[in-house]
mmCIF file of all heavy atoms in Angstrom:
data_model
loop_
_atom_site.group_PDB
_atom_site.id
_atom_site.type_symbol
_atom_site.label_atom_id
_atom_site.label_comp_id
_atom_site.label_asym_id
_atom_site.label_seq_id
_atom_site.Cartn_x
_atom_site.Cartn_y
_atom_site.Cartn_z
ATOM 1 N N LEU F 1358 38.335 30.841 -34.109
ATOM 2 C CA LEU F 1358 37.301 30.152 -33.347
ATOM 3 C C LEU F 1358 35.949 30.797 -33.696
ATOM 4 O O LEU F 1358 34.963 30.082 -33.840
ATOM 5 C CB LEU F 1358 37.605 30.286 -31.898
ATOM 6 C CG LEU F 1358 38.718 29.289 -31.380
ATOM 7 C CD1 LEU F 1358 38.885 29.376 -29.931
ATOM 8 C CD2 LEU F 1358 38.372 27.779 -31.660
ATOM 9 N N PRO F 1359 35.866 32.152 -33.695
ATOM 10 C CA PRO F 1359 34.611 32.683 -34.135
ATOM 11 C C PRO F 1359 34.063 32.333 -35.491
ATOM 12 O O PRO F 1359 32.886 32.099 -35.751
ATOM 13 C CB PRO F 1359 34.764 34.296 -33.957
ATOM 14 C CG PRO F 1359 35.876 34.367 -32.996
ATOM 15 C CD PRO F 1359 36.727 33.191 -33.272
ATOM 16 N N ARG F 1360 35.016 32.300 -36.355
ATOM 17 C CA ARG F 1360 34.629 31.827 -37.864
ATOM 18 C C ARG F 1360 33.918 30.345 -37.772
ATOM 19 O O ARG F 1360 33.005 30.132 -38.288
ATOM 20 C CB ARG F 1360 35.863 31.756 -38.661
ATOM 21 C CG ARG F 1360 36.313 33.141 -39.145
ATOM 22 C CD ARG F 1360 37.507 32.981 -40.038
ATOM 23 N NE ARG F 1360 37.995 34.196 -40.388
ATOM 24 C CZ ARG F 1360 39.208 34.681 -40.201
ATOM 25 N NH1 ARG F 1360 40.093 33.954 -39.470
ATOM 26 N NH2 ARG F 1360 39.480 35.966 -40.439
ATOM 27 N N ILE F 1361 34.616 29.506 -36.917
ATOM 28 C CA ILE F 1361 34.037 28.149 -36.842
ATOM 29 C C ILE F 1361 32.689 28.221 -36.082
ATOM 30 O O ILE F 1361 31.769 27.503 -36.598
ATOM 31 C CB ILE F 1361 35.060 27.250 -36.067
ATOM 32 C CG1 ILE F 1361 36.280 27.105 -37.001
ATOM 33 C CG2 ILE F 1361 34.537 25.881 -35.723
ATOM 34 C CD1 ILE F 1361 37.495 26.489 -36.298
ATOM 35 N N ARG F 1362 32.645 28.932 -34.990
ATOM 36 C CA ARG F 1362 31.395 28.978 -34.221
ATOM 37 C C ARG F 1362 30.263 29.426 -35.071
ATOM 38 O O ARG F 1362 29.109 28.964 -34.919
ATOM 39 C CB ARG F 1362 31.639 29.881 -33.092
ATOM 40 C CG ARG F 1362 30.496 29.999 -32.108
ATOM 41 C CD ARG F 1362 30.703 30.756 -30.875
ATOM 42 N NE ARG F 1362 29.555 30.747 -30.065
ATOM 43 C CZ ARG F 1362 29.480 31.406 -28.935
ATOM 44 N NH1 ARG F 1362 30.446 32.104 -28.452
ATOM 45 N NH2 ARG F 1362 28.352 31.344 -28.263
ATOM 46 N N TYR F 1363 30.534 30.380 -35.791
ATOM 47 C CA TYR F 1363 29.378 31.020 -36.793
ATOM 48 C C TYR F 1363 29.294 30.487 -37.972
ATOM 49 O O TYR F 1363 28.606 30.889 -38.976
ATOM 50 C CB TYR F 1363 29.489 32.525 -36.723
ATOM 51 C CG TYR F 1363 29.341 33.135 -35.309
ATOM 52 C CD1 TYR F 1363 30.374 33.737 -34.617
ATOM 53 C CD2 TYR F 1363 28.108 33.088 -34.651
ATOM 54 C CE1 TYR F 1363 30.138 34.180 -33.337
ATOM 55 C CE2 TYR F 1363 27.843 33.523 -33.355
ATOM 56 C CZ TYR F 1363 29.014 34.094 -32.705
ATOM 57 O OH TYR F 1363 28.834 34.576 -31.481
ATOM 58 N N LYS F 1364 29.802 29.201 -38.201
ATOM 59 C CA LYS F 1364 29.637 28.401 -39.372
ATOM 60 C C LYS F 1364 30.046 29.089 -40.669
ATOM 61 O O LYS F 1364 29.327 29.011 -41.754
ATOM 62 C CB LYS F 1364 28.349 27.773 -39.416
ATOM 63 C CG LYS F 1364 28.038 27.007 -38.303
ATOM 64 C CD LYS F 1364 26.618 26.315 -38.361
ATOM 65 C CE LYS F 1364 26.211 25.478 -37.108
ATOM 66 N NZ LYS F 1364 27.087 25.096 -36.150
ATOM 67 N N VAL F 1365 31.266 29.756 -40.645
ATOM 68 C CA VAL F 1365 31.646 30.375 -41.850
ATOM 69 C C VAL F 1365 31.947 29.211 -42.983
ATOM 70 O O VAL F 1365 32.153 28.130 -42.595
ATOM 71 C CB VAL F 1365 32.860 31.162 -41.752
ATOM 72 C CG1 VAL F 1365 34.030 30.299 -41.450
ATOM 73 C CG2 VAL F 1365 33.177 32.038 -42.926
ATOM 74 N N ASN F 1366 31.749 29.570 -44.300
ATOM 75 C CA ASN F 1366 31.873 28.443 -45.295
ATOM 76 C C ASN F 1366 33.408 27.926 -45.254
ATOM 77 O O ASN F 1366 34.283 28.578 -44.840
ATOM 78 C CB ASN F 1366 31.506 28.820 -46.589
ATOM 79 C CG ASN F 1366 32.253 29.979 -47.265
ATOM 80 O OD1 ASN F 1366 33.539 29.824 -47.282
ATOM 81 N ND2 ASN F 1366 31.629 31.014 -47.743
ATOM 82 N N ASP F 1367 33.534 26.737 -45.725
ATOM 83 C CA ASP F 1367 34.851 26.064 -45.773
ATOM 84 C C ASP F 1367 35.850 26.824 -46.535
ATOM 85 O O ASP F 1367 37.048 26.936 -46.151
ATOM 86 C CB ASP F 1367 34.731 24.631 -46.220
ATOM 87 C CG ASP F 1367 34.056 23.813 -45.272
ATOM 88 O OD1 ASP F 1367 33.841 24.116 -44.042
ATOM 89 O OD2 ASP F 1367 33.643 22.526 -45.652
ATOM 90 N N ASP F 1368 35.505 27.446 -47.554
ATOM 91 C CA ASP F 1368 36.446 28.214 -48.479
ATOM 92 C C ASP F 1368 37.037 29.392 -47.768
ATOM 93 O O ASP F 1368 38.242 29.627 -47.753
ATOM 94 C CB ASP F 1368 35.755 28.739 -49.841
ATOM 95 C CG ASP F 1368 35.447 27.498 -50.719
ATOM 96 O OD1 ASP F 1368 36.104 26.512 -50.671
ATOM 97 O OD2 ASP F 1368 34.612 27.663 -51.627
ATOM 98 N N SER F 1369 36.168 30.152 -47.028
ATOM 99 C CA SER F 1369 36.698 31.249 -46.304
ATOM 100 C C SER F 1369 37.481 30.812 -45.031
ATOM 101 O O SER F 1369 38.553 31.447 -44.857
ATOM 102 C CB SER F 1369 35.471 32.081 -45.692
ATOM 103 O OG SER F 1369 35.826 33.089 -44.973
ATOM 104 N N LEU F 1370 37.205 29.796 -44.381
ATOM 105 C CA LEU F 1370 37.950 29.295 -43.293
ATOM 106 C C LEU F 1370 39.407 28.807 -43.856
ATOM 107 O O LEU F 1370 40.349 29.074 -43.277
ATOM 108 C CB LEU F 1370 37.350 28.061 -42.682
ATOM 109 C CG LEU F 1370 37.847 27.596 -41.308
ATOM 110 C CD1 LEU F 1370 38.070 28.741 -40.305
ATOM 111 C CD2 LEU F 1370 37.171 26.470 -40.824
ATOM 112 N N TRP F 1371 39.373 28.087 -44.988
ATOM 113 C CA TRP F 1371 40.636 27.707 -45.618
ATOM 114 C C TRP F 1371 41.467 28.831 -45.974
ATOM 115 O O TRP F 1371 42.694 28.812 -45.700
ATOM 116 C CB TRP F 1371 40.275 26.766 -46.805
ATOM 117 C CG TRP F 1371 41.527 26.281 -47.450
ATOM 118 C CD1 TRP F 1371 42.052 26.654 -48.864
ATOM 119 C CD2 TRP F 1371 42.510 25.248 -46.944
ATOM 120 N NE1 TRP F 1371 43.213 26.029 -49.036
ATOM 121 C CE2 TRP F 1371 43.584 25.253 -47.980
ATOM 122 C CE3 TRP F 1371 42.502 24.594 -45.758
ATOM 123 C CZ2 TRP F 1371 44.635 24.389 -47.722
ATOM 124 C CZ3 TRP F 1371 43.684 23.768 -45.671
ATOM 125 C CH2 TRP F 1371 44.662 23.604 -46.537
ATOM 126 N N ARG F 1372 40.840 29.833 -46.681
ATOM 127 C CA ARG F 1372 41.590 30.973 -47.071
ATOM 128 C C ARG F 1372 42.319 31.715 -45.909
ATOM 129 O O ARG F 1372 43.457 32.281 -45.940
ATOM 130 C CB ARG F 1372 40.692 31.938 -47.785
ATOM 131 C CG ARG F 1372 41.323 33.152 -48.422
ATOM 132 C CD ARG F 1372 40.416 33.912 -49.389
ATOM 133 N NE ARG F 1372 39.136 34.275 -48.647
ATOM 134 C CZ ARG F 1372 38.025 33.703 -49.045
ATOM 135 N NH1 ARG F 1372 37.933 32.689 -49.897
ATOM 136 N NH2 ARG F 1372 36.893 34.011 -48.428
ATOM 137 N N ASN F 1373 41.714 31.720 -44.774
ATOM 138 C CA ASN F 1373 42.223 32.385 -43.573
ATOM 139 C C ASN F 1373 43.178 31.586 -42.779
ATOM 140 O O ASN F 1373 43.964 32.062 -41.962
ATOM 141 C CB ASN F 1373 41.144 32.950 -42.701
ATOM 142 C CG ASN F 1373 40.332 34.136 -43.282
ATOM 143 O OD1 ASN F 1373 40.991 35.128 -43.483
ATOM 144 N ND2 ASN F 1373 39.105 33.868 -43.762
ATOM 145 N N ALA F 1374 43.143 30.284 -42.880
ATOM 146 C CA ALA F 1374 44.028 29.356 -41.971
ATOM 147 C C ALA F 1374 45.121 28.560 -42.811
ATOM 148 O O ALA F 1374 46.018 28.115 -42.146
ATOM 149 C CB ALA F 1374 43.094 28.399 -41.268
ATOM 150 N N SER F 1375 44.847 28.476 -44.056
ATOM 151 C CA SER F 1375 45.773 27.658 -44.771
ATOM 152 C C SER F 1375 47.288 28.021 -44.818
ATOM 153 O O SER F 1375 48.220 27.265 -44.804
ATOM 154 C CB SER F 1375 45.411 27.423 -46.241
ATOM 155 O OG SER F 1375 45.413 28.609 -46.964
ATOM 156 N N TRP F 1376 47.475 29.363 -44.738
ATOM 157 C CA TRP F 1376 48.841 29.813 -44.712
ATOM 158 C C TRP F 1376 49.644 29.487 -43.513
ATOM 159 O O TRP F 1376 50.864 29.332 -43.528
ATOM 160 C CB TRP F 1376 48.815 31.506 -44.848
ATOM 161 C CG TRP F 1376 48.217 32.123 -43.568
ATOM 162 C CD1 TRP F 1376 46.894 32.404 -43.436
ATOM 163 C CD2 TRP F 1376 48.867 32.355 -42.378
ATOM 164 N NE1 TRP F 1376 46.611 32.903 -42.247
ATOM 165 C CE2 TRP F 1376 47.809 33.023 -41.435
ATOM 166 C CE3 TRP F 1376 50.222 32.239 -41.822
ATOM 167 C CZ2 TRP F 1376 48.053 33.390 -40.306
ATOM 168 C CZ3 TRP F 1376 50.336 32.764 -40.638
ATOM 169 C CH2 TRP F 1376 49.404 33.267 -39.834
ATOM 170 N N THR F 1377 49.016 28.938 -42.384
ATOM 171 C CA THR F 1377 49.723 28.498 -41.222
ATOM 172 C C THR F 1377 50.327 27.067 -41.463
ATOM 173 O O THR F 1377 51.193 26.724 -40.674
ATOM 174 C CB THR F 1377 48.710 28.352 -40.006
ATOM 175 O OG1 THR F 1377 47.730 27.350 -40.292
ATOM 176 C CG2 THR F 1377 48.047 29.698 -39.745
ATOM 177 N N GLN F 1378 49.886 26.283 -42.405
ATOM 178 C CA GLN F 1378 50.272 25.012 -42.757
ATOM 179 C C GLN F 1378 50.224 24.101 -41.488
ATOM 180 O O GLN F 1378 50.950 23.350 -41.266
ATOM 181 C CB GLN F 1378 51.667 24.929 -43.433
ATOM 182 C CG GLN F 1378 51.775 25.646 -44.642
ATOM 183 C CD GLN F 1378 53.136 25.612 -45.216
ATOM 184 O OE1 GLN F 1378 54.149 25.402 -44.645
ATOM 185 N NE2 GLN F 1378 53.264 25.680 -46.583
ATOM 186 N N TYR F 1379 49.065 24.228 -40.757
ATOM 187 C CA TYR F 1379 48.900 23.648 -39.455
ATOM 188 C C TYR F 1379 48.971 22.115 -39.644
ATOM 189 O O TYR F 1379 49.273 21.438 -38.732
ATOM 190 C CB TYR F 1379 47.429 24.070 -38.905
ATOM 191 C CG TYR F 1379 46.251 23.759 -39.698
ATOM 192 C CD1 TYR F 1379 45.666 22.563 -39.601
ATOM 193 C CD2 TYR F 1379 45.790 24.678 -40.651
ATOM 194 C CE1 TYR F 1379 44.567 22.064 -40.272
ATOM 195 C CE2 TYR F 1379 44.686 24.337 -41.359
ATOM 196 C CZ TYR F 1379 44.144 23.053 -41.284
ATOM 197 O OH TYR F 1379 43.025 22.707 -42.152
ATOM 198 N N TRP F 1380 48.553 21.576 -40.741
ATOM 199 C CA TRP F 1380 48.580 20.092 -40.901
ATOM 200 C C TRP F 1380 49.927 19.494 -40.806
ATOM 201 O O TRP F 1380 50.139 18.375 -40.646
ATOM 202 C CB TRP F 1380 47.853 19.775 -42.210
ATOM 203 C CG TRP F 1380 48.561 20.388 -43.458
ATOM 204 C CD1 TRP F 1380 49.593 19.913 -44.188
ATOM 205 C CD2 TRP F 1380 48.150 21.674 -44.098
ATOM 206 N NE1 TRP F 1380 49.985 20.650 -45.166
ATOM 207 C CE2 TRP F 1380 49.225 21.871 -45.062
ATOM 208 C CE3 TRP F 1380 47.343 22.671 -43.699
ATOM 209 C CZ2 TRP F 1380 49.144 22.972 -45.841
ATOM 210 C CZ3 TRP F 1380 47.268 23.817 -44.486
ATOM 211 C CH2 TRP F 1380 48.144 23.971 -45.558
ATOM 212 N N ASP F 1381 50.994 20.349 -41.114
ATOM 213 C CA ASP F 1381 52.336 19.856 -40.931
ATOM 214 C C ASP F 1381 53.029 20.129 -39.599
ATOM 215 O O ASP F 1381 54.171 19.724 -39.474
ATOM 216 C CB ASP F 1381 53.196 20.490 -42.067
ATOM 217 C CG ASP F 1381 53.018 19.934 -43.376
ATOM 218 O OD1 ASP F 1381 52.598 18.780 -43.570
ATOM 219 O OD2 ASP F 1381 53.353 20.709 -44.477
ATOM 220 N N LYS F 1382 52.305 20.768 -38.704
ATOM 221 C CA LYS F 1382 52.930 21.261 -37.409
ATOM 222 C C LYS F 1382 52.479 20.378 -36.359
ATOM 223 O O LYS F 1382 51.291 20.073 -36.102
ATOM 224 C CB LYS F 1382 52.647 22.658 -37.204
ATOM 225 C CG LYS F 1382 52.681 23.692 -38.386
ATOM 226 C CD LYS F 1382 54.194 23.894 -38.649
ATOM 227 C CE LYS F 1382 54.486 24.781 -39.810
ATOM 228 N NZ LYS F 1382 54.758 26.068 -39.702
ATOM 229 N N PRO F 1383 53.348 19.956 -35.429
ATOM 230 C CA PRO F 1383 53.069 19.005 -34.374
ATOM 231 C C PRO F 1383 52.373 19.844 -33.125
ATOM 232 O O PRO F 1383 51.778 19.255 -32.208
ATOM 233 C CB PRO F 1383 54.302 18.380 -33.928
ATOM 234 C CG PRO F 1383 55.369 19.344 -34.274
ATOM 235 C CD PRO F 1383 54.867 19.996 -35.582
ATOM 236 N N ILE F 1384 52.617 21.128 -33.100
ATOM 237 C CA ILE F 1384 52.102 22.021 -32.091
ATOM 238 C C ILE F 1384 51.244 23.195 -32.683
ATOM 239 O O ILE F 1384 51.823 23.794 -33.622
ATOM 240 C CB ILE F 1384 53.258 22.521 -31.214
ATOM 241 C CG1 ILE F 1384 53.977 21.333 -30.621
ATOM 242 C CG2 ILE F 1384 52.703 23.487 -30.060
ATOM 243 C CD1 ILE F 1384 55.294 21.773 -29.878
ATOM 244 N N TRP F 1385 50.165 23.335 -32.139
ATOM 245 C CA TRP F 1385 49.266 24.460 -32.450
ATOM 246 C C TRP F 1385 49.236 25.399 -31.229
ATOM 247 O O TRP F 1385 49.058 24.964 -30.082
ATOM 248 C CB TRP F 1385 47.895 24.095 -32.848
ATOM 249 C CG TRP F 1385 47.800 23.285 -34.104
ATOM 250 C CD1 TRP F 1385 48.658 22.728 -34.954
ATOM 251 C CD2 TRP F 1385 46.608 22.650 -34.604
ATOM 252 N NE1 TRP F 1385 48.220 22.006 -35.942
ATOM 253 C CE2 TRP F 1385 46.894 21.939 -35.716
ATOM 254 C CE3 TRP F 1385 45.271 22.832 -34.275
ATOM 255 C CZ2 TRP F 1385 45.880 21.266 -36.474
ATOM 256 C CZ3 TRP F 1385 44.274 22.071 -35.002
ATOM 257 C CH2 TRP F 1385 44.636 21.447 -36.142
ATOM 258 N N VAL F 1386 49.282 26.666 -31.476
ATOM 259 C CA VAL F 1386 49.198 27.735 -30.515
ATOM 260 C C VAL F 1386 47.910 28.498 -30.792
ATOM 261 O O VAL F 1386 47.660 29.103 -31.913
ATOM 262 C CB VAL F 1386 50.388 28.673 -30.499
ATOM 263 C CG1 VAL F 1386 50.171 29.717 -29.441
ATOM 264 C CG2 VAL F 1386 51.652 27.831 -30.211
ATOM 265 N N LEU F 1387 47.048 28.525 -29.832
ATOM 266 C CA LEU F 1387 45.679 29.158 -30.060
ATOM 267 C C LEU F 1387 45.289 30.061 -29.006
ATOM 268 O O LEU F 1387 45.011 29.719 -27.820
ATOM 269 C CB LEU F 1387 44.658 28.034 -30.165
ATOM 270 C CG LEU F 1387 43.148 28.423 -30.240
ATOM 271 C CD1 LEU F 1387 42.870 29.183 -31.682
ATOM 272 C CD2 LEU F 1387 42.181 27.184 -30.194
ATOM 273 N N PRO F 1388 45.344 31.385 -29.170
ATOM 274 C CA PRO F 1388 44.843 32.480 -28.249
ATOM 275 C C PRO F 1388 43.354 32.368 -28.342
ATOM 276 O O PRO F 1388 42.714 32.266 -29.271
ATOM 277 C CB PRO F 1388 45.484 33.717 -28.836
ATOM 278 C CG PRO F 1388 46.042 33.439 -30.067
ATOM 279 C CD PRO F 1388 45.860 31.996 -30.442
ATOM 280 N N ILE F 1389 42.848 32.562 -27.170
ATOM 281 C CA ILE F 1389 41.298 32.444 -26.945
ATOM 282 C C ILE F 1389 40.824 33.655 -26.064
ATOM 283 O O ILE F 1389 41.374 33.885 -24.987
ATOM 284 C CB ILE F 1389 40.863 31.057 -26.220
ATOM 285 C CG1 ILE F 1389 41.334 29.959 -27.084
ATOM 286 C CG2 ILE F 1389 39.275 31.116 -26.199
ATOM 287 C CD1 ILE F 1389 41.225 28.618 -26.330
ATOM 288 N N HIS F 1390 39.897 34.360 -26.531
ATOM 289 C CA HIS F 1390 39.268 35.466 -25.811
ATOM 290 C C HIS F 1390 38.226 34.922 -24.965
ATOM 291 O O HIS F 1390 37.192 34.441 -25.606
ATOM 292 C CB HIS F 1390 38.883 36.577 -26.681
ATOM 293 C CG HIS F 1390 38.408 37.709 -25.902
ATOM 294 N ND1 HIS F 1390 37.045 38.073 -25.700
ATOM 295 C CD2 HIS F 1390 39.149 38.724 -25.258
ATOM 296 C CE1 HIS F 1390 36.976 39.148 -25.080
ATOM 297 N NE2 HIS F 1390 38.319 39.581 -24.635
ATOM 298 N N CYS F 1391 38.274 35.060 -23.701
ATOM 299 C CA CYS F 1391 37.097 34.714 -22.831
ATOM 300 C C CYS F 1391 36.429 36.063 -22.390
ATOM 301 O O CYS F 1391 36.940 36.785 -21.659
ATOM 302 C CB CYS F 1391 37.573 34.059 -21.482
ATOM 303 S SG CYS F 1391 38.606 32.452 -22.002
ATOM 304 N N SER F 1392 35.174 36.018 -22.835
ATOM 305 C CA SER F 1392 34.458 37.284 -22.639
ATOM 306 C C SER F 1392 33.866 37.310 -21.190
ATOM 307 O O SER F 1392 33.515 38.451 -20.642
ATOM 308 C CB SER F 1392 33.407 37.504 -23.564
ATOM 309 O OG SER F 1392 32.521 36.469 -23.740
ATOM 310 N N VAL F 1393 33.662 36.197 -20.619
ATOM 311 C CA VAL F 1393 33.018 36.085 -19.289
ATOM 312 C C VAL F 1393 34.054 35.710 -18.187
ATOM 313 O O VAL F 1393 34.879 34.756 -18.474
ATOM 314 C CB VAL F 1393 31.845 35.095 -19.257
ATOM 315 C CG1 VAL F 1393 31.221 34.873 -17.994
ATOM 316 C CG2 VAL F 1393 30.835 35.395 -20.375
ATOM 317 N N PRO F 1394 34.195 36.119 -17.046
ATOM 318 C CA PRO F 1394 33.465 37.225 -16.482
ATOM 319 C C PRO F 1394 33.861 38.581 -16.744
ATOM 320 O O PRO F 1394 33.151 39.626 -16.745
ATOM 321 C CB PRO F 1394 33.377 36.996 -14.989
ATOM 322 C CG PRO F 1394 34.712 36.329 -14.835
ATOM 323 C CD PRO F 1394 35.090 35.609 -16.174
ATOM 324 N N VAL F 1395 35.129 38.710 -17.057
ATOM 325 C CA VAL F 1395 35.864 40.063 -17.281
ATOM 326 C C VAL F 1395 36.375 40.371 -18.606
ATOM 327 O O VAL F 1395 36.817 41.532 -18.875
ATOM 328 C CB VAL F 1395 36.940 40.319 -16.226
ATOM 329 C CG1 VAL F 1395 36.285 40.379 -14.839
ATOM 330 C CG2 VAL F 1395 37.948 39.277 -16.286
ATOM 331 N N GLY F 1396 36.491 39.449 -19.461
ATOM 332 C CA GLY F 1396 37.119 39.619 -20.803
ATOM 333 C C GLY F 1396 38.602 39.661 -20.669
ATOM 334 O O GLY F 1396 39.218 40.646 -20.358
ATOM 335 N N HIS F 1397 39.221 38.493 -20.930
ATOM 336 C CA HIS F 1397 40.630 38.349 -20.934
ATOM 337 C C HIS F 1397 41.037 37.301 -21.875
ATOM 338 O O HIS F 1397 40.191 36.475 -22.418
ATOM 339 C CB HIS F 1397 41.077 38.045 -19.444
ATOM 340 C CG HIS F 1397 40.726 36.687 -18.951
ATOM 341 N ND1 HIS F 1397 39.506 36.232 -18.583
ATOM 342 C CD2 HIS F 1397 41.618 35.701 -18.744
ATOM 343 C CE1 HIS F 1397 39.578 35.006 -18.180
ATOM 344 N NE2 HIS F 1397 40.807 34.577 -18.414
ATOM 345 N N TRP F 1398 42.392 37.167 -22.085
ATOM 346 C CA TRP F 1398 42.864 36.181 -22.988
ATOM 347 C C TRP F 1398 43.554 35.005 -22.317
ATOM 348 O O TRP F 1398 44.100 35.154 -21.182
ATOM 349 C CB TRP F 1398 43.907 36.859 -23.794
ATOM 350 C CG TRP F 1398 43.374 37.888 -24.766
ATOM 351 C CD1 TRP F 1398 43.333 39.269 -24.483
ATOM 352 C CD2 TRP F 1398 42.860 37.704 -26.105
ATOM 353 N NE1 TRP F 1398 42.744 39.855 -25.601
ATOM 354 C CE2 TRP F 1398 42.398 38.926 -26.500
ATOM 355 C CE3 TRP F 1398 42.647 36.607 -26.849
ATOM 356 C CZ2 TRP F 1398 41.970 39.164 -27.872
ATOM 357 C CZ3 TRP F 1398 42.044 36.800 -28.108
ATOM 358 C CH2 TRP F 1398 41.721 37.915 -28.575
ATOM 359 N N VAL F 1399 43.316 33.893 -22.863
ATOM 360 C CA VAL F 1399 43.965 32.655 -22.422
ATOM 361 C C VAL F 1399 44.718 32.066 -23.519
ATOM 362 O O VAL F 1399 44.358 32.497 -24.700
ATOM 363 C CB VAL F 1399 42.981 31.587 -21.790
ATOM 364 C CG1 VAL F 1399 42.307 32.166 -20.631
ATOM 365 C CG2 VAL F 1399 41.983 31.020 -22.875
ATOM 366 N N LEU F 1400 45.733 31.231 -23.193
ATOM 367 C CA LEU F 1400 46.543 30.625 -24.368
ATOM 368 C C LEU F 1400 46.454 29.109 -24.203
ATOM 369 O O LEU F 1400 46.679 28.500 -23.210
ATOM 370 C CB LEU F 1400 48.026 31.236 -24.329
ATOM 371 C CG LEU F 1400 48.925 30.636 -25.478
ATOM 372 C CD1 LEU F 1400 48.463 31.193 -26.698
ATOM 373 C CD2 LEU F 1400 50.373 30.864 -25.096
ATOM 374 N N CYS F 1401 46.093 28.465 -25.346
ATOM 375 C CA CYS F 1401 46.095 27.024 -25.433
ATOM 376 C C CYS F 1401 47.063 26.629 -26.367
ATOM 377 O O CYS F 1401 47.103 27.138 -27.566
ATOM 378 C CB CYS F 1401 44.659 26.457 -25.756
ATOM 379 S SG CYS F 1401 44.485 24.820 -25.820
ATOM 380 N N THR F 1402 47.938 25.662 -26.031
ATOM 381 C CA THR F 1402 48.893 24.988 -26.889
ATOM 382 C C THR F 1402 48.349 23.547 -27.042
ATOM 383 O O THR F 1402 48.050 22.904 -26.071
ATOM 384 C CB THR F 1402 50.298 25.059 -26.575
ATOM 385 O OG1 THR F 1402 50.552 24.461 -25.350
ATOM 386 C CG2 THR F 1402 50.825 26.440 -26.469
ATOM 387 N N ILE F 1403 48.291 23.083 -28.194
ATOM 388 C CA ILE F 1403 47.841 21.695 -28.525
ATOM 389 C C ILE F 1403 49.075 20.913 -29.047
ATOM 390 O O ILE F 1403 49.651 21.211 -30.085
ATOM 391 C CB ILE F 1403 46.610 21.710 -29.611
ATOM 392 C CG1 ILE F 1403 45.566 22.514 -29.049
ATOM 393 C CG2 ILE F 1403 46.271 20.219 -29.946
ATOM 394 C CD1 ILE F 1403 45.433 23.731 -29.838
#
C-alpha cells in the first residue's frame, strides 16, 4: 500500500508483488497499518 500511495514505478511494484500470483487467487489477504489514532494493524480479506 505505501508503494502504491507514493507512486512507485510499475516495474518495482511488479517485482515486489508478482511472486504472490495474485491474479490467479480468488482471495487476497491484506494487512493494513493504521497509524491514527494509536497505531495498530487491521486485516482486510478481499
Side-chain angles (χ1 to χ4, degrees):
L1358 288 179
R1360 286 183 182 115
I1361 293 166
R1362 181 177 184 180
Y1363 295 110
K1364 300 183 184 343
V1365 70
N1366 68 52
D1367 289 345
D1368 290 338
S1369 179
L1370 189 59
W1371 178 251
R1372 186 173 46 257
N1373 287 293
S1375 63
W1376 63 268
T1377 66
Q1378 297 182 336
Y1379 62 87
W1380 58 90
D1381 282 336
K1382 312 288 175 104
I1384 299 169
W1385 295 359
V1386 179
L1387 178 62
I1389 304 168
H1390 186 256
C1391 297
S1392 56
V1393 178
V1395 293
H1397 73 287
W1398 292 93
V1399 300
L1400 182 68
C1401 182
T1402 59
I1403 301 106

